[in-house]
Amino acid sequence: MKPMGSAGWRSLLFAGCLALFAASPARAQQAETTPPSVLSEAASSETGDDLPLWQRTLYKTLTYQAAANAADVLVFDLLVGASAATTTGFFVANAATAAAAYYGFEYAWQNLGPTLDETNEQTIVEKTILYRFIGIGRNVTLGYLYGGSVATAGAFAGLNIVYDTSIFLTNEYVWDILRPERAP
């Protein structure tokens, strides 16, 4: 096994910093800094059997990211066929940036978007389209950084639109329409 070069170590360091950033929203939830009157009805509806907002968002992030990251790594490996160090660096950077982007987007949507009772198929489609813009930018950037060419970045982002949209819609449907009430 060859030792990892400086590019591999830089990738891992970059991904580690992003992983710390991704964990920040969960830590920020522990100390209440926003007055309850500012929170939306969705954020303060922690009555009954519904999960608290931060916990629901965390579980949605985990279920979505498990499927999406597995698919991303498979597609990236098929497109690039990179070394183990590059694929590992891509996986870590992809997982960290995707989790941070999804958690932040989901938390903002839960606070600013329609309440769970107002959620329907149309609002889920609107939410999916909005999130795809975030995902496309992130995927083009990662595809270029780790794939090394504009063609690879475009192919990765293009394929990602197809499979990731179906993963996102499925996750949204399960969590917002079927609404599990207890932690997995």
Side-chain angles (χ1 to χ4, degrees):
M1 185 163 132
K2 293 178 9 181
M4 201 170 4
S6 64
W9 285 112
R10 281 193 307 256
S11 295
L12 288 176
L13 179 61
F14 173 70
C17 292
L18 290 174
L20 290 174
F21 172 72
S24 295
R27 286 195 304 271
Q29 295 297 317
Q30 294 171 357
E32 177 129 356
T33 57
T34 307
S37 61
V38 176
L39 296 177
S40 73
E41 192 176 301
S44 62
S45 67
E46 296 182 12
T47 59
D49 290 333
D50 287 342
L51 292 171
L53 178 62
W54 72 268
Q55 190 176 17
R56 184 177 193 287
T57 303
L58 178 65
Y59 290 143
K60 280 184 77 172
T61 300
L62 292 174
T63 56
Y64 170 68
Q65 292 308 318
N69 286 330
D72 284 348
V73 169
L74 177 65
V75 169
F76 176 79
D77 195 41
L78 289 172
L79 285 173
V80 178
S83 68
T86 301
T87 301
T88 301
F90 170 81
F91 170 75
V92 173
N94 184 57
T97 59
Y102 183 88
Y103 188 94
F105 176 81
E106 182 63 31
Y107 192 79
W109 184 271
Q110 297 285 329
N111 279 304
L112 304 172
T115 65
L116 286 176
D117 293 333
E118 297 169 337
T119 299
N120 57 34
E121 285 82 7
Q122 180 181 347
T123 59
I124 289 176
V125 169
E126 292 167 357
K127 181 179 180 181
T128 303
I129 292 168
L130 186 58
Y131 184 72
R132 291 308 329 135
F133 284 107
I134 295 169
I136 290 168
R138 193 184 62 75
N139 289 321
V140 167
T141 302
L142 286 174
Y144 184 74
L145 288 174
Y146 287 93
S149 72
V150 173
T152 301
F156 177 66
L159 289 169
N160 182 274
I161 289 170
V162 176
Y163 66 82
D164 200 54
T165 300
S166 63
I167 294 169
F168 187 90
L169 283 169
T170 301
N171 194 59
E172 291 302 307
Y173 183 80
V174 168
W175 280 98
D176 290 348
I177 301 296
L178 298 180
R179 261 195 251 172
E181 295 180 352
R182 300 201 189 286

